[in-house]
Amino acid sequence: MNRVLFGAMAIGAGAVSFLSMFGLLEGLPFLAQNIEELVLLMVAALLGAVTLLHRRLEKVEDHASEASRRSLEDALHRVEATMPAELRQLFKPFLDRWSQRLREAVKHKRVRIEPVDQFPLFYRQTLEAFPRDRFMATSLASKQYFWKNEGAFAAMKAFTEGGGRMSRVFFLDSEASESDAEVLSIIRDQLAAGIRTLTVDSRGLPREWFQLFVVSGTQDLAWIVRTAANGPDIESTEATADEAQIRDFRKTFECLVSHPSAKEWFVEDGGLVSRVPGRTGPV
């Protein structure tokens, strides 16, 4: 049906164009007098055909998504069914959790990490999987947050020494200021790992900018970190491949770096110094 409609419109449009080009419409009073109406009619028909085609493509996409989901379900069931009974009994809770995560990844482009103490492991694996990428991160300058994991420091240093780049903005407030020994120690450690390190006063920021994340500069990949309401301890982490959310994170990071309160930190003569960032965007 669509091909017939497109073909008829093409023939009609070609005929009208031919007649108009050679001045033959004057010999056809009906066409000459109603040329605008005919053009509108063809445009309307074209839009209708495009709408029908779009709906058909949506149905094809829905069928493909459903087929992918069923294929995943079948594969997961086969894996579980072929495992020795003892291993299946031992690892069933783990398999159930990861089966659900895989379903979420296919359907929603995100995976929640549970338990949360597995996050440092996936953080290191992220850097290893994209060794020459550039990452932008926002963090809390507190050892309760993430910095108690020594393996993460080693992974970040290996990442930057291998050609990767990372920039990190620390949110500071009345409880974590740049004069605190703990904050300065964290900044120094980040610089030692080869990370471009900045701070910004969170008290003067729009609410939507205060987000904790690690986002790739080239890949559709980001980690979202959420903390407990009463402290800096990480409560949940989630990996996402949602393109719109990733674009928002990158834009937010650029806004933080260019904020009037932003400071970039360096080690000079063994001491820490800060100055206004030399650029308004990420490394």
Side-chain angles (χ1 to χ4, degrees):
M1 176 64 183
N2 286 336
R3 283 183 289 182
V4 173
L5 183 57
F6 276 116
M9 286 189 296
I11 294 173
V16 171
S17 299
F18 180 82
L19 294 172
S20 176
M21 188 183 345
F22 292 98
L24 299 178
L25 283 178
E26 297 178 0
L28 300 169
F30 174 80
L31 290 178
Q33 293 172 7
N34 298 279
I35 184 65
E36 294 181 358
E37 288 80 1
L38 287 171
V39 170
L40 289 175
L41 181 62
M42 284 188 288
V43 170
L46 178 61
L47 290 175
V50 169
T51 300
L52 289 173
L53 181 60
H54 178 68
R55 289 176 180 171
R56 180 165 294 183
L57 289 174
E58 284 184 335
K59 290 182 179 179
V60 171
E61 184 177 351
D62 289 341
H63 288 316
S65 178
E66 178 64 17
S68 175
R69 187 189 66 78
R70 289 181 180 176
S71 178
L72 174 63
E73 296 284 351
D74 292 342
L76 292 172
H77 287 313
R78 284 198 300 271
V79 168
E80 186 171 344
T82 55
M83 289 182 68
E86 295 81 4
L87 292 179
R88 185 165 60 249
Q89 181 176 351
L90 179 62
F91 289 101
K92 183 171 175 52
F94 174 83
L95 293 172
D96 289 344
R97 285 199 304 270
W98 274 103
S99 295
Q100 182 58 36
R101 292 174 191 174
L102 289 173
R103 294 184 185 96
E104 291 178 359
V106 171
K107 187 174 182 179
H108 302 294
K109 296 185 178 181
R110 66 173 183 262
V111 177
R112 184 184 176 97
I113 301 302
E114 292 176 339
V116 72
D117 57 12
Q118 293 181 351
F119 177 51
L121 170 63
F122 284 99
Y123 189 95
R124 297 197 299 271
Q125 290 180 341
T126 300
L127 300 182
E128 292 170 2
F130 305 98
R132 294 190 177 275
D133 206 334
R134 56 187 181 92
F135 286 95
M136 294 154 279
T138 57
S139 302
L140 301 179
S142 167
K143 291 185 181 296
Q144 290 178 257
Y145 178 73
F146 182 66
W147 316 113
K148 57 188 176 184
N149 187 283
E150 295 297 327
F153 279 110
M156 287 185 285
K157 188 171 183 179
F159 173 74
T160 58
E161 290 178 347
R165 291 181 293 167
M166 181 177 288
S167 299
R168 188 181 302 280
V169 170
F170 285 106
F171 294 114
L172 301 183
D173 54 24
S174 58
E175 296 182 1
S177 69
E178 61 186 51
S179 61
D180 291 343
E182 181 177 309
V183 171
L184 294 176
S185 174
I186 290 172
I187 291 174
R188 188 180 288 274
D189 287 342
Q190 292 293 290
L191 293 173
I195 297 171
R196 183 189 181 198
T197 306
L198 305 99
T199 56
V200 67
D201 188 345
S202 62
R203 294 171 296 183
L205 297 179
R207 185 179 182 87
E208 63 270 18
W209 290 6
F210 190 79
Q211 301 181 76
L212 300 171
F213 59 81
V214 181
V215 62
S216 166
T218 61
Q219 309 292 325
D220 287 332
L221 174 66
W223 284 97
I224 306 167
V225 181
R226 297 180 180 88
T227 58
N230 58 348
D233 292 306
I234 295 178
E235 192 172 64
S236 67
T237 58
E238 183 178 275
T240 180
D242 182 87
E243 295 89 346
Q245 192 166 32
I246 288 166
R247 285 195 300 270
D248 288 342
F249 285 152
R250 291 171 182 163
K251 183 177 179 181
T252 296
F253 191 87
E254 293 175 358
C255 292
L256 291 171
V257 174
S258 61
H259 191 266
S261 70
K263 296 181 180 180
E264 184 170 0
W265 292 82
F266 305 88
V267 174
E268 292 183 1
D269 299 325
L272 288 175
V273 297
S274 63
R275 59 177 69 105
V276 175
R279 287 181 284 181
T280 58
V283 171

